[in-house]
Amino acid sequence: MFNKQRLHKLTLVTQFYNILVRILSGSFFIIVLAFFQEPDLSNILIFLGIFLALSLLLFVVETVKYFRTYYWIEGNRLVLQTGLFIQKEKDIQISRIQSIDTSEDIVHRLLKVTKITVNTPGQGLILDALSVSQYKALSDYLNQLKISLNKRTEDEFPEDKLAVDDNSEVIRSEAEDAPAETTLLQLSVGEIVKMTILNGAIFRGFFIFLIGFNFLTDLPLDDLFTEVGSVFISASIIILLASIFIGMILIYTIGIIASIIKNYGYKVTLSGEHLNIKKGLLETQSQTVPLKNVQTLEEKQNWLMKFFGYTTFSLGLTSDSSQKNNENKTEIKEDGQVVLFPIVKSEKLNPLVKQCFPEFVLSPVENVVPVRSIRRFIQFPVLFWLIIAAAISIMFWVYAWIAGLILILFYGFYGYRSYKLTGYHLCENEITVQTPTLFALTKTYVPKNRILNLQVKQNLFLKRANLMKTNFSTAHGIASKEFKLKYIEEKDAFKIFEWFRNGGIN
């Protein structure tokens, strides 16, 4: 069934679409500049000629590559052969496949084909495009063959004697035992809108808009401070405030529409040892997350989410390969973080997590930062911004001290939050760490067998105050991620150290 064969013929159409998109996006600024110039028929014809010639050349290249591209299964390997002048083979071991992900842009969906990415710890293969039936047959076959391979030792099932056709009975028996699929979360359009409003991203976009608006319109900020009494009677101020308000509404609207397009039909399912995330309106994406790759669980709440009783839940994953691949569109960040539940009711989170990770305890934390540590959280940032604000006020802008004062107040408040909310909790095989930022609170659950190293630190000043710092790291992405607890009591730091070193707690 999976002898040497080509991709679907409609690959030529999808590649031609990609060519047009790349050329048009690269020529965007030229087109915009030409639009504001007086139309010149000769220039337009020259541009169209270059565009058509370049498109034709690239299409010929992609056509030649299509007819020289094959994929097949050989023993324990999925092989992809491709190349323009020199054909090169790239293969992956089927027994090491971690996930088989799909993505479909608007053209793929219209043509009813899909792009698949087969991921392994070391590398991956991308096949664009296959029909839905081709993808289903290949995906099922690879998954079932992987199970059958992993259940046998080399003595029982030598790789050099493995042939695809000899495993039909084994694969059929494995297919009968395939795990059922359970839906964990499915977001409606209303929930996506709620998620977009509550996650705070639009607020950051609004501040960027406000700064840009300032530079573009040369806002009379000095007048705002010197003529406060005339704010409500000045037509220019009213127009300014109205423009800001309209801009905020536009940013909210664009942000919500973009979020709906990206996350439409967001669905998380559990099947055996894998989680699957599927979403997208114009471009649908299906991403598989192997449970065995999960290093940490993370719950994050900002102020708005906490007020309305919602939270965000994500996974920390490990991988031996970099995610920097323009064609591999997944939600895994470079640090290995992937959002599983972008918005979920707080009281519903633990039951959902227990379905996927029954071995996690998910204990609440105990706040451990003593009162005498407050100044240590704020003294250096406050001193830094005080010096910067004073220097700018003296040399450039007299009102810079106002921005400095605001930053000082922010860091003072952040120091207080750190004192109130930093904490941890130890179980026999798991540590829960809670760390605040200015606008959010992060709670991370880390199994002890995922911790790579753990340190406790103390300088002379901390020793006099009986305080310590502790930090540990776990594998995340292609590197590691560090977790810190700063300015905690000595006894708490040594308690964590002994827990890690001795393999348990008293």
Side-chain angles (χ1 to χ4, degrees):
M1 179 181 178
F2 289 105
N3 295 323
K4 198 171 185 178
Q5 56 186 284
R6 289 195 180 102
L7 302 174
H8 198 280
K9 293 179 180 179
L10 292 175
T11 300
L12 294 173
V13 181
T14 62
Q15 290 300 327
F16 185 64
Y17 167 76
N18 291 331
I19 289 169
L20 293 180
V21 170
R22 288 198 296 268
I23 293 177
L24 289 176
S25 60
S27 309
F28 176 75
F29 290 106
I30 298 176
I31 296 172
V32 171
L33 290 175
F35 179 80
F36 289 101
Q37 302 292 329
E38 292 185 6
D40 187 336
L41 182 60
S42 61
N43 290 337
I44 294 176
L45 292 176
I46 291 173
F47 177 80
L48 287 176
I50 295 173
F51 176 81
L52 291 174
L54 186 59
S55 300
L56 181 61
L57 175 63
L58 293 177
F59 181 69
V60 170
V61 170
E62 292 298 331
T63 302
V64 173
K65 286 179 65 177
Y66 166 77
F67 284 105
R68 291 172 58 82
T69 298
Y70 299 90
Y71 72 97
W72 67 92
I73 293 175
E74 181 179 323
N76 184 28
R77 289 175 171 80
L78 173 63
V79 184
L80 175 65
Q81 184 185 74
T82 187
L84 183 59
F85 299 110
I86 301 174
Q87 282 185 313
K88 297 181 181 180
E89 289 188 4
K90 183 178 181 181
D91 65 89
I92 57 176
Q93 292 186 22
I94 296 173
S95 57
R96 301 190 70 214
I97 291 176
Q98 291 184 337
S99 64
I100 302 175
D101 301 333
T102 66
S103 62
E104 301 170 7
D105 58 28
I106 187 68
V107 173
H108 285 82
R109 298 181 69 183
L110 289 174
L111 299 176
K112 297 183 179 180
V113 294
T114 187
K115 177 192 292 185
I116 75 168
T117 304
V118 185
N119 298 305
T120 68
Q123 60 181 342
L125 287 182
I126 297 177
L127 302 176
D128 181 14
L130 301 180
S131 67
V132 176
S133 59
Q134 279 181 306
Y135 156 68
K136 183 66 175 173
L138 179 61
S139 175
D140 290 346
Y141 195 88
L142 288 175
N143 284 324
Q144 293 157 15
L145 185 56
K146 175 189 171 183
I147 294 172
S148 66
L149 287 168
N150 289 336
K151 281 188 176 181
R152 287 158 174 80
T153 63
E154 291 187 1
D155 292 334
E156 296 173 332
F157 208 178
E159 183 178 317
D160 58 354
K161 294 183 179 180
L162 178 62
V164 171
D165 295 335
D166 296 336
N167 291 289
S168 57
E169 293 298 329
V170 175
I171 292 172
R172 277 196 292 270
S173 64
E174 298 293 348
E176 295 173 358
D177 299 329
E181 187 176 84
T182 304
T183 300
L184 300 177
L185 180 74
Q186 191 162 8
L187 298 183
S188 64
V189 174
E191 288 170 323
I192 295 174
V193 173
K194 193 182 300 180
M195 173 195 74
T196 307
I197 295 174
L198 295 182
N199 68 11
I202 293 180
F203 292 105
R204 292 191 291 271
F206 171 68
F207 284 123
I208 294 173
F209 160 78
L210 191 59
I211 293 171
F213 192 82
N214 174 33
F215 284 107
L216 290 174
T217 60
D218 193 19
L219 297 181
L221 294 180
D222 289 340
D223 294 339
L224 291 178
F225 291 110
T226 58
E227 300 180 11
V228 175
S230 62
V231 166
F232 295 102
I233 58 175
S234 172
S236 61
I237 296 298
I238 294 174
I239 293 172
L240 172 63
L241 294 176
S243 300
I244 293 175
F245 178 76
I246 294 172
M248 183 175 66
I249 297 298
L250 286 174
I251 289 174
Y252 257 85
T253 304
I254 294 171
I256 289 172
I257 293 173
S259 182
I260 292 174
I261 292 172
K262 179 182 178 181
N263 297 289
Y264 183 82
Y266 193 101
K267 185 178 181 181
V268 180
T269 57
L270 172 66
S271 178
E273 296 299 315
H274 294 82
L275 290 165
N276 182 264
I277 304 171
K278 189 172 184 179
K279 63 177 184 178
L281 180 59
L282 297 181
E283 179 176 3
T284 60
Q285 298 178 18
S286 177
Q287 178 185 349
T288 303
V289 178
L291 296 182
K292 66 179 182 180
N293 288 358
V294 175
Q295 301 294 299
T296 61
L297 309 182
E298 183 177 288
E299 180 185 350
K300 190 171 185 178
Q301 273 186 323
N302 60 30
W303 293 354
L304 281 175
M305 283 188 166
K306 186 173 181 180
F307 181 79
F308 289 100
Y310 288 94
T311 189
T312 298
F313 182 76
S314 59
L315 309 174
L317 306 178
T318 181
S319 174
D320 296 333
S321 60
S322 173
Q323 300 295 334
K324 291 181 180 180
N325 188 332
N326 293 331
E327 295 185 84
N328 189 4
K329 299 180 179 180
T330 71
E331 288 300 302
I332 301 178
K333 300 178 182 178
E334 193 64 26
D335 63 356
Q337 206 77 7
V338 56
V339 176
L340 187 65
F341 306 141
I343 185 170
V344 62
K345 275 288 187 181
S346 298
E347 64 268 17
K348 294 181 180 179
L349 179 61
N350 276 21
L352 286 174
V353 175
K354 285 292 185 181
Q355 291 187 57
C356 311
F357 309 97
E359 69 277 11
F360 278 78
V361 181
L362 307 179
S363 300
V365 302
E366 304 162 9
N367 299 331
V368 294
V369 177
V371 178
R372 63 184 184 278
S373 295
I374 294 180
R375 71 175 181 84
R376 300 178 188 275
F377 282 103
I378 65 175
Q379 60 187 3
F380 293 110
V382 166
L383 183 61
F384 173 79
W385 288 113
L386 184 62
I387 294 172
I388 294 295
I392 295 177
S393 296
I394 293 171
M395 293 186 291
F396 299 104
W397 186 42
V398 69
Y399 295 108
W401 64 268
I402 297 177
L405 179 61
I406 293 173
L407 287 171
I408 289 172
L409 292 175
F410 276 171
Y411 276 102
F413 182 64
Y414 170 67
Y416 178 75
R417 278 174 57 83
S418 298
Y419 151 67
K420 291 291 290 183
L421 299 176
T422 296
Y424 76 95
H425 185 274
L426 293 178
C427 296
E428 185 174 356
N429 297 307
E430 179 181 321
I431 182 172
T432 305
V433 178
Q434 180 173 281
T435 53
T437 61
L438 188 60
F439 297 108
L441 185 67
T442 301
K443 190 183 298 181
T444 309
Y445 307 96
V446 186
K448 187 179 2 184
N449 59 7
R450 296 291 194 266
I451 298 176
L452 301 176
N453 57 70
L454 186 144
Q455 294 179 327
V456 291
K457 299 179 181 180
Q458 185 183 54
N459 58 34
L460 180 62
F461 299 102
L462 291 180
K463 187 174 182 178
R464 291 176 59 184
N466 295 322
L467 298 174
M468 295 192 80
K469 299 179 182 178
T470 182
N471 61 280
F472 60 89
S473 60
T474 64
H476 268 60
I478 60 174
S480 62
K481 182 175 181 180
E482 190 174 57
F483 301 88
K484 297 181 180 180
L485 288 170
K486 300 198 297 184
Y487 312 129
I488 62 176
E489 296 279 10
E490 274 185 346
K491 61 181 180 65
D492 288 303
F494 283 121
K495 182 180 177 181
I496 296 172
F497 183 78
E498 292 297 327
W499 166 82
F500 177 68
R501 186 179 68 172
N502 297 332
I505 59 174
N506 295 327

